[in-house]
Amino acid sequence: MSPFPSQFIVDAFTDQLFAGNPAAVCLQPLPEALMQRVAQENNLSETAFLTKTGDDYALRWFTPAGEIDLCGHATLAAAHVVLTQLEPGRQQVTFHTCSGPLPVQKRGDRYEMDFPAYTLSPVPVTEAMAAAFGARPTAAYLGRDLLCVFDREETVGGLTPDQEALRELEGLLQHATARGRAADCVSRSFAPKCGVPEDPVCGSGHCHIFPYWARVLGKDTLVAWQASPRGGTLYGTLEGDWVKLAGKAVIFAATTFFLPGASPMGLSQKP
């Protein structure tokens, strides 16, 4: 058994503990079936699994219910671990994922990620949407996820959605958004299909949210507030088909697995 951390728990899109979105970043090579069990045991919205590949890292993301194709906050958490714990002094890292290479650049106290923007197709607002969210959207769009637009910031903050009804809607996740006052936009993200009732701060969701508000507000650089109980701030710049998504992060804990197998990647085993 290794005395070194097998994983870190990182609060992403915040610079304060107990805020933002917590993600586990696993450093220990594991079989795929065990990855899923670790994600279930962590019971966080995402667990990221890192594997060193030359100068870069392979990265996979698992929710408690299964693997997903893109996760912003767990990517930010993984970059924070690499650039402060595994290879301090580096300013940039590239992750190789099922969604392609994702470079992350450290800029001051923020981590800036290049994510693909989702193409949004307008869809009709339905009674099922109104019933699931507990309020009627003014507009709805579908990319990977369902994006529902509401008329007021307070409406988004006060939603108490029906999780089973949300599960029946289109999209992998369901996002509620409105124009903000202190920020350009506010949002909340729900993921019952992934075993996550509410994602506290959703990076991949803002690959839907930022393109929408950039078009509506006529500006390419925006600040977003995720109005979950934990709360978090995201900074976004739209560049063509890509979103430069940035945020801060803070480490909450380092943990050790009591599992057989290799010692954590990038950390030496003491004799």
Side-chain angles (χ1 to χ4, degrees):
M1 251 167 300
S2 168
F4 298 98
S6 303
Q7 71 176 11
F8 289 89
I9 308 295
V10 181
D11 290 337
F13 292 116
T14 183
D15 57 1
Q16 301 178 33
L17 290 175
F18 312 118
N21 200 352
V25 180
C26 179
L27 310 180
Q28 184 163 348
L30 298 174
E32 185 168 312
L34 197 52
M35 290 182 185
Q36 186 60 64
R37 295 187 69 180
V38 167
Q40 290 171 333
E41 189 74 8
N42 285 330
N43 200 30
L44 298 170
S45 58
E46 260 82 29
T47 298
F49 294 87
L50 283 177
T51 305
K52 193 83 164 74
T53 56
D55 290 335
D56 300 336
Y57 291 81
L59 177 62
R60 298 174 69 177
W61 309 279
F62 284 76
T63 76
E67 187 170 11
I68 61 169
D69 65 343
L70 190 65
C71 178
H73 86 278
T75 302
L76 190 156
H80 185 63
V81 169
V82 170
L83 299 179
T84 66
Q85 304 299 310
L86 301 184
E87 301 186 61
R90 280 188 68 167
Q91 296 297 306
Q92 190 271 343
V93 61
T94 297
F95 297 115
H96 296 275
T97 77
C98 62
S99 293
L102 298 178
V104 183
Q105 182 76 35
K106 192 171 187 297
R107 298 189 185 280
D109 59 354
R110 298 180 193 172
Y111 298 89
E112 184 181 82
M113 304 172 284
D114 288 335
F115 272 21
Y118 287 100
T119 300
L120 299 176
S121 300
V123 295
V125 172
T126 64
E127 292 301 323
M129 292 176 190
F133 282 104
R136 174 172 285 276
T138 59
Y141 299 84
L142 189 63
R144 182 198 70 176
D145 305 337
L146 178 66
L147 177 65
C148 288
V149 183
F150 292 85
D151 56 352
R152 296 170 64 242
E153 179 176 336
E154 291 78 9
T155 301
V156 172
L159 293 175
T160 56
D162 182 326
Q163 294 291 323
E164 289 306 313
L166 283 179
R167 190 188 296 272
E168 299 303 315
L169 297 180
E170 292 185 282
L172 180 64
L173 284 76
Q174 293 77 41
H175 308 287
T177 189
R179 187 165 183 173
R181 289 190 297 272
D184 292 300
C185 58
V186 299
S187 63
R188 290 174 67 192
S189 299
F190 306 98
K193 295 177 185 179
C194 299
V196 180
E198 180 167 4
D199 197 12
V201 189
C202 186
S204 63
H206 281 78
C207 294
H208 302 71
I209 295 165
F210 277 137
Y212 171 79
W213 286 111
R215 176 177 60 82
V216 170
L217 299 177
K219 54 194 294 189
D220 292 335
T221 298
L222 303 100
V223 179
W225 172 250
Q226 189 106 44
S228 68
R230 291 177 64 98
T233 302
L234 308 93
Y235 306 87
T237 300
L238 197 66
E239 294 187 355
D241 295 331
W242 290 82
V243 177
K244 286 190 176 294
L245 189 65
K248 303 174 184 179
V250 58
I251 290 175
F252 166 65
T255 62
T256 299
F257 293 158
F258 286 82
L259 296 171
S263 61
M265 160 273 303
L267 300 174
S268 300
Q269 174 75 49
K270 289 183 179 178

